[in-house]
Amino acid sequence: MAKYNCKTCGAELYFNPKTGKMECEYCGSSFDPSEYAYQTEQDSADVKPAAYVDESEPVTEPATDDSTGDLRIYKCPHCGAEVITSKETAATTCVYCNRAITLSGNLTGAFRPDYVLPFTTERKDVEDAYLKLCKKSILTPRLFTKKSTIEKIKGMYIPFWLYTFDGDAQIRVLAKETKVWIAGDTEYTEISSYRVEEGAHGEFENIPADALKEMDNTLMDSIEPFDFSKLVAFNPAYLAGFYTQRWNEDATKNENRAKVRAKESLSKAALAHVGTYSGGMTIEHEQYMWTNQRVHYAMLPVWMMYTEYKGQKYLFGMNGQTGKIVGDIPKDPMKLFEIGGGIFLISQIIMMILRVLGVML
């Protein structure tokens, strides 16, 4: 486990998205994350999981209650309590002392990211944006604005594959031109068909695709864009205070998602050169070639919250860099009756007060 201590007073440090520094909440000191070197697996060999086994072996520790071997037990370095996480978890928070835990041993070898995109939004930013979204409708169920619900919002570093490649497209379309005219009492229609071939070339850099099987891909696509010019070399110090999981879907399984997006761009560019035809166009054949392919592994910042209401799951998310929000907040028509009932009660109280005042006068 990696732990980041203040060089002034020894207290634990947390990454502050606003300042981009590791900050001490006790003495106020701050440090650049680069001052805390990346901890290798060998450095953390003395703090292996309490139920440590090889990744290919099942966990036999009874406390995991897990027959598949997907859970791991760690001892919190702050309070000594047992912390149970999935084997993919790389950073979390102790449920007993609420202190940050970075499991740097889970981010080594093939699981070590190339880059991290640091958070720039704070928890207050996401809470304010979430409440503003909820208050857009008077029909938002009370559950969504309760403190216990808002506390479910988590700052997470989501593992992403970033794909870079050059693409070339060759597209052949069947285009039709329709001409209609009238001669005497007769209407004539002439249809001319053309086969048109066009090509397009594009250079694509850092097309992202999340690397978690459990993650909603539509949400992750909607929360873009990210400014990848702000990527920095990976250092687990940036994870301090945030929940993090390593990838569990490899790059080859997500590659097609990136290339589908590139295909749409190339196809649109090629068709723009074909022109327009009154009878429309049909794509007869399309071929794509990819060269100079590269992929990098990065941790990207996202604020997320899952809430269940009347048997349905609702998801809220915010881009941890740009502040862009996406989410589906339900509306409860029954709140109209609550509002109407409250208005009626208030009107009755006002009427009663007026009657009393009338008698007194």
Side-chain angles (χ1 to χ4, degrees):
M1 295 181 189
K3 185 179 177 183
Y4 306 97
N5 293 342
C6 176
K7 296 179 180 180
T8 304
C9 70
E12 186 178 9
L13 300 175
Y14 292 87
F15 179 73
N16 186 322
K18 288 296 185 186
T19 63
K21 304 286 187 180
M22 304 290 290
E23 296 194 346
C24 177
E25 60 184 16
Y26 293 96
C27 71
S29 299
S30 63
F31 307 89
D32 192 272
S34 62
E35 296 183 47
Y36 291 82
Y38 183 84
Q39 186 178 34
T40 66
E41 188 172 22
Q42 185 174 357
D43 294 333
S44 58
D46 59 335
V47 286
K48 290 179 179 179
Y52 180 80
V53 293
D54 185 85
E55 289 293 330
S56 61
E57 297 293 329
V59 175
T60 56
E61 170 64 36
T64 64
D65 190 26
D66 176 57
S67 59
T68 66
D70 289 333
L71 300 183
R72 295 292 183 266
I73 301 176
Y74 296 85
K75 285 196 177 294
C76 175
H78 311 289
C79 68
E82 288 188 340
V83 178
I84 301 176
T85 72
S86 71
K87 65 183 180 182
E88 287 89 11
T89 300
T92 186
T93 302
C94 176
V95 296
Y96 298 97
C97 68
N98 201 37
R99 305 297 290 277
I101 301 174
T102 303
L103 309 174
S104 58
N106 284 355
L107 292 174
T108 56
F111 295 104
R112 175 177 176 171
D114 300 303
Y115 301 104
V116 60
L117 191 62
F119 273 87
T120 60
T121 55
E122 294 183 299
R123 185 174 188 85
K124 186 178 184 305
D125 299 324
V126 66
E127 289 182 357
D128 290 346
Y130 170 74
L131 287 173
K132 184 177 180 180
L133 182 65
C134 288
K135 292 176 181 178
K136 283 186 175 180
S137 172
I138 61 173
L139 301 182
T140 297
R142 279 202 188 92
L143 171 67
F144 287 80
T145 55
K146 290 178 66 174
K147 182 180 179 182
S148 58
T149 298
I150 297 172
E151 288 175 346
K152 293 180 182 178
I153 297 173
K154 286 184 178 180
M156 306 174 65
Y157 277 106
I158 306 295
F160 272 78
W161 299 112
L162 304 181
Y163 300 89
T164 297
F165 46 75
D166 293 346
D168 289 278
Q170 289 295 326
I171 296 179
R172 182 174 69 243
V173 301
L174 176 62
K176 293 184 179 181
E177 192 72 53
T178 302
K179 181 180 179 182
V180 179
W181 71 94
I182 297 175
D185 295 330
T186 305
E187 180 180 280
Y188 297 90
T189 301
E190 179 183 271
I191 300 176
S192 302
S193 296
Y194 306 89
R195 278 189 170 82
V196 184
E197 291 193 10
E198 276 292 349
H201 174 80
E203 297 178 1
F204 302 91
E205 184 176 7
N206 292 333
I207 298 180
D210 68 271
L212 286 181
K213 290 184 291 188
E214 307 84 359
M215 190 55 62
D216 185 316
N217 293 339
T218 301
L219 177 80
M220 290 297 99
D221 291 344
S222 300
I223 215 166
E224 295 177 30
F226 292 93
D227 180 2
F228 292 118
S229 69
K230 305 298 183 183
L231 284 171
V232 297
F234 179 71
N235 183 333
Y238 288 102
L239 311 184
F242 297 96
Y243 181 78
T244 308
Q245 279 191 278
R246 67 188 191 185
W247 63 263
N248 57 19
E249 276 190 327
D250 64 35
T252 56
K253 289 184 179 179
N254 285 277
E255 182 179 340
N256 189 57
R257 284 177 57 198
K259 288 183 176 176
V260 165
R261 298 173 69 174
K263 284 179 180 179
E264 291 174 355
S265 178
L266 289 171
S267 176
K268 184 177 180 180
L271 292 175
H273 292 289
V274 172
T276 58
Y277 294 84
S278 58
M281 296 183 298
T282 303
I283 296 178
E284 284 191 326
H285 175 75
E286 53 186 331
Q287 183 177 4
Y288 299 90
M289 294 182 61
W290 312 103
T291 55
N292 300 323
Q293 301 183 69
R294 303 183 302 282
V295 61
H296 289 103
Y297 174 32
M299 291 292 183
L300 305 187
V302 179
W303 293 95
M304 295 190 66
M305 182 188 73
Y306 285 95
T307 303
E308 189 169 327
Y309 178 69
K310 292 187 175 181
Q312 297 291 322
K313 290 186 177 180
Y314 294 89
L315 182 62
F316 167 83
M318 173 189 272
N319 185 312
Q321 182 195 40
T322 66
K324 178 183 178 181
I325 60 173
V326 293
D328 185 15
I329 307 297
K331 294 179 175 58
D332 185 359
M334 295 301 294
K335 284 205 70 176
L336 286 174
F337 294 99
E338 295 179 21
I339 296 169
I343 294 174
F344 176 77
L345 179 61
I346 292 172
S347 66
Q348 292 301 304
I349 293 174
I350 293 173
M351 291 293 291
M352 184 178 66
I353 293 173
L354 290 175
R355 288 195 207 100
V356 171
L357 290 175
V359 169
M360 292 177 64
L361 293 173

